Amino acid sequence: MFFEDATQASSILDLVLTSRGTDAAGKIPMCGVPYHSSDNYIAKLIKAGKKVAICEQIEDPALAQGIVKRDVIRIISAGTYLDESIDSRYLMSLCTGKSTFGVAFIDNAGGTILPMNSPVIKPSSY
């Protein structure tokens, strides 16, 4: 992580903030976590209300000139994060129409989708 992301993450994750290179403003803040223990760090960032972008190298470092190119392969947010200690995490979608409405619940952990629809019930006049 670099710049403001590194500064915020180092505080949340209790990591040492270091630097790599410089720009017009001075040293570029940097921090990182080992891949094999990233799940624990991701959980802490999600619980702190952050979103996490997972990036991977997309070229061979031995062949790269300068900085190795990377690309975002996954974005994790509170709604898409699957914590192994939680049995289920439901997402709900609501859709309304003139005469019907629909509700769908999705359990990411179990892969269950529960759709429902119903006619709109108009309140009776008094």
Side-chain angles (χ1 to χ4, degrees):
M1 291 168 267
F2 298 96
F3 298 104
E4 184 64 25
D5 291 337
T7 304
Q8 289 181 15
S10 67
S11 176
I12 294 168
L13 302 174
D14 196 27
L15 297 173
V16 173
L17 185 64
T18 184
S19 65
R20 181 172 189 171
T22 59
D23 65 1
K27 291 183 177 182
I28 299 171
M30 179 186 84
C31 71
V33 299
Y35 176 78
H36 65 275
S37 63
S38 62
D39 287 344
N40 293 329
Y41 292 105
I42 291 169
K44 287 181 183 179
L45 289 168
I46 296 300
K47 288 177 184 171
K50 303 295 181 185
K51 295 177 187 164
V52 179
I54 306 294
C55 301
E56 285 188 358
Q57 295 177 346
I58 58 171
E59 66 179 346
D60 186 345
L63 303 175
Q65 295 179 351
I67 297 175
V68 177
K69 291 181 184 175
R70 292 173 171 81
D71 204 0
V72 175
I73 61 160
R74 183 176 174 203
I75 297 176
I76 305 170
S77 66
T80 61
Y81 176 66
L82 296 178
D83 186 347
E84 299 297 325
S85 66
I86 298 174
D87 290 336
S88 295
R89 176 168 298 207
Y90 290 96
L91 299 176
M92 183 189 83
S93 175
L94 178 64
C95 179
T96 60
K98 290 183 180 180
S99 60
T100 63
F101 71 94
V103 178
F105 292 95
I106 300 171
D107 175 7
N108 283 348
T112 306
I113 301 173
L114 304 168
M116 299 179 291
N117 67 347
S118 178
V120 173
I121 301 171
K122 296 181 181 179
S124 60
S125 57
Y126 293 94

mmCIF file of all heavy atoms in Angstrom, residues 59-69:
data_model
loop_
_atom_site.group_PDB
_atom_site.id
_atom_site.type_symbol
_atom_site.label_atom_id
_atom_site.label_comp_id
_atom_site.label_asym_id
_atom_site.label_seq_id
_atom_site.Cartn_x
_atom_site.Cartn_y
_atom_site.Cartn_z
ATOM 1 N N GLU A 59 2.812 -9.165 -14.829
ATOM 2 C CA GLU A 59 3.957 -9.419 -15.694
ATOM 3 C C GLU A 59 5.066 -10.036 -14.866
ATOM 4 O O GLU A 59 5.086 -9.933 -13.648
ATOM 5 C CB GLU A 59 4.422 -8.148 -16.402
ATOM 6 C CG GLU A 59 4.997 -7.080 -15.503
ATOM 7 C CD GLU A 59 5.472 -5.855 -16.278
ATOM 8 O OE1 GLU A 59 5.606 -5.914 -17.508
ATOM 9 O OE2 GLU A 59 5.698 -4.828 -15.625
ATOM 10 N N ASP A 60 5.973 -10.671 -15.528
ATOM 11 C CA ASP A 60 7.093 -11.330 -14.883
ATOM 12 C C ASP A 60 8.066 -10.272 -14.353
ATOM 13 O O ASP A 60 8.565 -9.456 -15.130
ATOM 14 C CB ASP A 60 7.799 -12.234 -15.887
ATOM 15 C CG ASP A 60 8.897 -13.073 -15.270
ATOM 16 O OD1 ASP A 60 9.331 -12.775 -14.144
ATOM 17 O OD2 ASP A 60 9.337 -14.037 -15.921
ATOM 18 N N PRO A 61 8.356 -10.274 -13.040
ATOM 19 C CA PRO A 61 9.271 -9.277 -12.485
ATOM 20 C C PRO A 61 10.656 -9.305 -13.127
ATOM 21 O O PRO A 61 11.315 -8.282 -13.229
ATOM 22 C CB PRO A 61 9.361 -9.645 -11.000
ATOM 23 C CG PRO A 61 8.136 -10.444 -10.723
ATOM 24 C CD PRO A 61 7.794 -11.142 -12.005
ATOM 25 N N ALA A 62 11.083 -10.484 -13.584
ATOM 26 C CA ALA A 62 12.399 -10.600 -14.217
ATOM 27 C C ALA A 62 12.441 -9.879 -15.565
ATOM 28 O O ALA A 62 13.503 -9.458 -16.018
ATOM 29 C CB ALA A 62 12.762 -12.068 -14.397
ATOM 30 N N LEU A 63 11.275 -9.727 -16.195
ATOM 31 C CA LEU A 63 11.210 -9.090 -17.506
ATOM 32 C C LEU A 63 10.743 -7.637 -17.448
ATOM 33 O O LEU A 63 10.809 -6.931 -18.453
ATOM 34 C CB LEU A 63 10.273 -9.885 -18.425
ATOM 35 C CG LEU A 63 10.619 -11.365 -18.631
ATOM 36 C CD1 LEU A 63 9.550 -12.047 -19.451
ATOM 37 C CD2 LEU A 63 11.982 -11.504 -19.279
ATOM 38 N N ALA A 64 10.287 -7.209 -16.296
ATOM 39 C CA ALA A 64 9.727 -5.862 -16.167
ATOM 40 C C ALA A 64 10.829 -4.812 -16.184
ATOM 41 O O ALA A 64 11.921 -5.019 -15.669
ATOM 42 C CB ALA A 64 8.934 -5.746 -14.876
ATOM 43 N N GLN A 65 10.506 -3.690 -16.789
ATOM 44 C CA GLN A 65 11.402 -2.536 -16.753
ATOM 45 C C GLN A 65 10.774 -1.525 -15.810
ATOM 46 O O GLN A 65 9.688 -1.020 -16.066
ATOM 47 C CB GLN A 65 11.580 -1.945 -18.140
ATOM 48 C CG GLN A 65 12.281 -2.882 -19.100
ATOM 49 C CD GLN A 65 12.424 -2.275 -20.480
ATOM 50 O OE1 GLN A 65 11.864 -1.237 -20.772
ATOM 51 N NE2 GLN A 65 13.177 -2.949 -21.325
ATOM 52 N N GLY A 66 11.450 -1.259 -14.696
ATOM 53 C CA GLY A 66 10.885 -0.363 -13.697
ATOM 54 C C GLY A 66 9.916 -1.104 -12.790
ATOM 55 O O GLY A 66 10.131 -2.245 -12.422
ATOM 56 N N ILE A 67 8.812 -0.427 -12.459
ATOM 57 C CA ILE A 67 7.815 -1.011 -11.553
ATOM 58 C C ILE A 67 7.046 -2.113 -12.274
ATOM 59 O O ILE A 67 6.615 -1.954 -13.409
ATOM 60 C CB ILE A 67 6.849 0.079 -11.049
ATOM 61 C CG1 ILE A 67 7.634 1.108 -10.221
ATOM 62 C CG2 ILE A 67 5.726 -0.519 -10.226
ATOM 63 C CD1 ILE A 67 6.807 2.287 -9.767
ATOM 64 N N VAL A 68 6.865 -3.253 -11.603
ATOM 65 C CA VAL A 68 6.125 -4.384 -12.149
ATOM 66 C C VAL A 68 4.647 -4.001 -12.250
ATOM 67 O O VAL A 68 4.067 -3.474 -11.296
ATOM 68 C CB VAL A 68 6.286 -5.636 -11.266
ATOM 69 C CG1 VAL A 68 5.468 -6.792 -11.802
ATOM 70 C CG2 VAL A 68 7.756 -6.019 -11.159
ATOM 71 N N LYS A 69 4.028 -4.255 -13.402
ATOM 72 C CA LYS A 69 2.616 -3.915 -13.588
ATOM 73 C C LYS A 69 1.747 -4.822 -12.727
ATOM 74 O O LYS A 69 1.978 -6.016 -12.615
ATOM 75 C CB LYS A 69 2.224 -4.064 -15.056
ATOM 76 C CG LYS A 69 2.856 -3.032 -15.943
ATOM 77 C CD LYS A 69 2.427 -3.208 -17.378
ATOM 78 C CE LYS A 69 3.154 -2.210 -18.258
ATOM 79 N NZ LYS A 69 2.859 -2.421 -19.677
#
